[in-house]
Amino acid sequence: MSDETEVKRIRGTGWKSVYDTLRNEILALTLPPGQLLDEMSLAERFDMSRSPVREALIRLGAEELVVTLSNRSTIVAPIEVATFPKYVEALDIAQRMNTRLAAALRTDTDLKLIAKREKAFAAAVKTGNHLAMSEANKEFHMAIAYAGKNQYLASFYDKLLSQGQRMLHLHFEYLERTHEGYLLTDEHSLMLEAIRDKNVELADELAHAHTRQFQDNFINFMRENYTTDVPLGPARAAE
């Protein structure tokens, strides 16, 4: 490959490198909520022009991971703690509906993929890498959603899971500190078994409990670490 061809390839795909790096840093909270993302500084950091940096920020904005302010500066999207109860309510509904449908409609092929994702998540938990865990967690739940055969519910669920990945990072931290990390793999295993048995009601119950566990542990984490007066409870996920 000639130097000229290599330059063209880099120019065409440079935004992807910036996007992947920034996305990982945002989800891992290495770049904290509210952090200013200056195009010029990022261009210098990645040793490229501002155009691919701008493209990467546009794509991150589409995923609601960054926000462009009225003065056109870009920041890492805040974690909206005050709206957390509403987020959990939506997550609970989406999680229960997709899991119910998966239990009712899954095929053997679907089941193999869910089981594969469940094993991948268990492996990620052993690494202690929160980013790997959150990505594997999303893939497990999306395998369930795809088994439900409703693209609209799956798309809605996908968006909610993506929006919650940074909160899930804090949730993982809480579970590890309280030595309750086993709940992560145990709950997924139980959900897999309910779907395998086509037990719709049990799948629904487990999906609901899964949301509750996430909600309660995130609230407990924030109560321990948040220093300002933000109402965090006692909201509950929808019954």
Side-chain angles (χ1 to χ4, degrees):
M1 181 181 293
S2 68
D3 290 343
E4 182 179 354
T5 302
E6 179 65 15
V7 168
K8 288 182 179 178
R9 186 188 67 80
I10 292 173
R11 285 177 178 171
T13 60
W15 70 265
K16 186 68 166 55
S17 174
V18 179
Y19 165 84
D20 288 339
T21 300
L22 294 180
R23 179 179 181 275
N24 288 344
E25 291 179 352
I26 291 170
L27 293 180
L29 300 178
T30 304
L31 285 174
Q35 173 72 47
L36 178 64
L37 298 174
D38 177 65
E39 284 187 14
M40 184 65 72
S41 298
L42 290 173
E44 292 177 1
R45 173 187 171 184
F46 291 99
D47 192 22
M48 58 180 62
S49 70
R50 294 173 64 177
S51 294
V53 170
R54 188 175 300 115
E55 177 66 21
L57 292 177
I58 289 172
R59 291 173 184 266
L60 290 168
E63 296 183 22
E64 300 183 20
L65 291 175
V66 304
V67 175
T68 301
L69 304 179
S70 57
N71 62 1
R72 295 189 179 182
S73 61
T74 302
I75 63 170
V76 175
I79 295 177
E80 301 292 350
V81 178
T83 61
F84 180 70
K86 291 297 183 183
Y87 169 79
V88 172
E89 184 176 49
L91 177 66
D92 187 49
I93 292 170
Q95 190 146 272
R96 293 171 68 179
M97 289 303 301
N98 280 288
T99 307
R100 285 182 67 93
L101 286 172
L105 303 174
R106 62 85 178 159
T107 64
D108 288 343
T109 300
D110 292 327
L111 197 59
K112 288 178 182 178
L113 179 59
I114 296 170
K116 180 180 179 180
R117 299 306 186 204
E118 189 267 340
K119 289 180 180 178
F121 176 75
V125 169
K126 291 179 181 179
T127 69
N129 183 317
H130 292 173
L131 180 58
M133 289 164 66
S134 70
E135 296 282 17
N137 177 76
K138 180 180 176 182
E139 289 184 358
F140 169 75
H141 286 289
M142 286 310 299
I144 291 175
Y146 297 142
K149 309 295 189 288
N150 187 310
Q151 67 186 59
Y152 299 103
L153 285 174
S155 178
F156 177 52
Y157 193 31
D158 182 47
K159 182 177 181 179
L160 289 170
L161 290 172
S162 295
Q163 290 177 338
Q165 278 188 267
R166 288 184 294 169
M167 290 182 282
L168 194 63
H169 184 100
L170 301 177
H171 170 63
F172 290 154
E173 183 176 322
Y174 178 82
L175 287 179
E176 289 180 354
R177 191 171 66 254
T178 57
H179 306 291
E180 293 182 348
Y182 69 92
L183 292 172
L184 298 169
T185 52
D186 284 5
E187 289 189 356
H188 281 190
S189 297
L190 291 172
M191 292 170 75
L192 171 60
E193 289 304 312
I195 294 169
R196 177 178 283 121
D197 295 340
K198 294 195 171 184
N199 190 331
V200 175
E201 294 308 318
L202 179 58
D204 184 356
E205 178 183 329
L206 291 169
H208 183 48
H210 201 52
T211 310
R212 281 285 184 86
Q213 189 234 63
F214 164 63
Q215 176 193 24
D216 291 346
N217 288 328
F218 179 75
I219 287 174
N220 287 336
F221 176 91
M222 294 302 291
R223 281 178 174 151
E224 287 181 3
N225 294 276
Y226 219 86
T227 56
T228 56
D229 214 3
V230 177
L232 293 172
R236 289 283 181 179
E239 295 288 352

